[in-house]
Amino acid sequence: MTPVNGPLNTKATKTTGEALQGSLVDLINLTLAAKQAHWNLVGKRFRSVHLQLDEVVTAARQYTDDVAERAAALGVSPDGRADTVAGESGFPQVHAGWLKDDDAVAGIVAALGWVIERMRDRIAATDEPDPVTQDLLIQATAELEKQSWMFQAMK
């Protein structure tokens, strides 16, 4: 059942839908990883890293919603269920338990780098079939790259 008919042809909808679904899964995982680090953070730079992790969470949550709503507008049902996110992700796992500030920074830098690389692939994939989605992915990636820069500066 497809109650929403988007403006794209079938092939463009498939390519764009896959890019959006992959982005959705990665952004949900990034949110969870940053929150896990946020809750378990310890160390001398606790406060600054703790607050910066919240900025990552805020950005990832915003773009999670934007990506899901773009998919819905195209007639693609977004799937952010826990089992889907866990099953479709190759996302780097965050250490369980207390996390030293330096380790949290390194982990978030790695996670952001992983997501950014995949987002850039999706930007390329959506160039022809849907420049509107591409623009959304560019905006999300720009924010993730800004967060990556800020965390790299803490190393």
Side-chain angles (χ1 to χ4, degrees), residues 23-137:
S23 298
L24 180 67
V25 166
D26 288 351
L27 290 166
I28 291 170
N29 271 316
L30 181 59
T31 299
L32 294 172
K35 268 303 181 187
Q36 180 68 19
H38 174 90
W39 295 323
N40 288 285
L41 188 66
V42 295
K44 292 181 181 186
R45 294 185 300 158
F46 169 83
R47 180 132 175 94
S48 62
V49 175
H50 188 78
L51 294 174
Q52 190 65 37
L53 286 165
D54 268 343
E55 288 188 30
V56 171
V57 170
T58 298
R61 283 182 178 161
Q62 174 194 333
Y63 285 107
T64 295
D65 196 47
D66 292 348
V67 162
E69 288 178 356
R70 178 67 185 155
L74 295 176
V76 176
S77 176
D79 190 351
R81 296 172 301 152
D83 59 332
T84 300
V85 171
E88 291 182 10
S89 180
F91 195 85
Q93 290 296 312
V94 176
H95 173 73
W98 301 116
L99 192 58
K100 293 243 345 120
D101 49 10
D102 288 342
D103 295 335
V105 168
I108 291 298
V109 166
L112 284 164
W114 188 84
V115 173
I116 289 165
E117 181 179 335
R118 292 166 55 91
M119 293 293 281
R120 284 184 160 274
D121 290 343
R122 294 176 187 123
I123 289 167
T126 56
D127 177 41
E128 181 66 31
D130 188 21
V132 176
T133 294
Q134 183 190 45
D135 184 56
L136 172 60
L137 299 178

Side-chain angles (χ1 to χ4, degrees), residues 8-31:
L8 305 178
N9 66 41
T10 303
K11 183 179 178 191
T13 298
K14 182 179 184 320
T15 300
T16 303
E18 288 171 358
L20 289 165
Q21 179 60 34
S23 298
L24 180 67
V25 166
D26 288 351
L27 290 166
I28 291 170
N29 271 316
L30 181 59
T31 299

